[in-house]
Amino acid sequence: MKSCLVVDDSRVVRKVARKILEELGFACTEAEDGKQAMEKCAEAMPDAVLLDWNMPVMTGIEFLRRLRKMTGGQAPKVVFCTTENDLAHIQEALSAGANEYIMKPFDSDIIQTKFQQVGLL
């Protein structure tokens, strides 16, 4: 079973994403900010990361840059899931190592499509 780390400061968003991902066959763990996410990745590197941009403590983009420098940190497929939908944010995310980009709000079909596009499904 593939694993996915859901990183979002909203408990509701984490819960909704987790339900969708578990229905798609993923084992999920959660983090409420980038610092917690770094700790989870240090314990066990996930196959996928569903990542919010705007979070306290450490933002999604800071987390992504640090993740990609970690041992094994190139492996996870990272899909940003955020309200930041301008071209500058999307380009910054992709240049920092994101594999895909989803706009909030999202649904099961959107997550399934993006995860298929990056080879997770």
Side-chain angles (χ1 to χ4, degrees):
M1 180 179 274
K2 288 189 176 172
S3 60
C4 184
L5 175 59
V6 179
V7 188
D8 199 298
D9 57 329
S10 165
R11 192 177 66 78
V12 172
V13 170
R14 290 195 313 268
K15 189 174 180 179
V16 169
R18 180 181 200 127
K19 183 179 185 303
I20 291 169
L21 289 160
E22 286 176 346
E23 287 173 358
L24 293 173
F26 285 86
C28 292
T29 52
E30 299 177 19
E32 61 186 51
D33 59 53
K35 183 176 181 291
Q36 273 189 12
M38 289 301 299
E39 292 163 3
K40 301 259 184 196
C41 289
E43 291 169 21
M45 197 61 73
D47 296 302
V49 179
L50 189 65
L51 183 62
D52 186 23
W53 191 294
N54 298 306
M55 297 177 291
V57 186
M58 183 189 298
T59 66
I61 197 75
E62 289 173 305
F63 162 77
L64 178 59
R65 289 189 176 116
R66 291 184 189 183
L67 172 72
R68 292 306 193 206
K69 291 176 183 169
M70 285 177 73
T71 302
Q74 290 295 320
K77 300 289 187 188
V78 176
V79 178
F80 257 104
C81 182
T82 182
T83 56
E84 300 294 349
N85 61 2
D86 58 279
L87 192 57
H89 276 92
I90 295 169
Q91 288 174 329
E92 184 178 359
L94 296 174
S95 68
N99 299 90
E100 249 319 328
Y101 207 93
I102 296 173
M103 305 302 168
K104 286 180 182 174
F106 58 87
D107 61 21
S108 182
D109 290 342
I110 292 168
I111 288 184
Q112 186 171 359
T113 299
K114 292 296 183 178
F115 274 51
Q116 284 171 332
Q117 287 174 352
V118 299
L120 287 162
L121 292 172

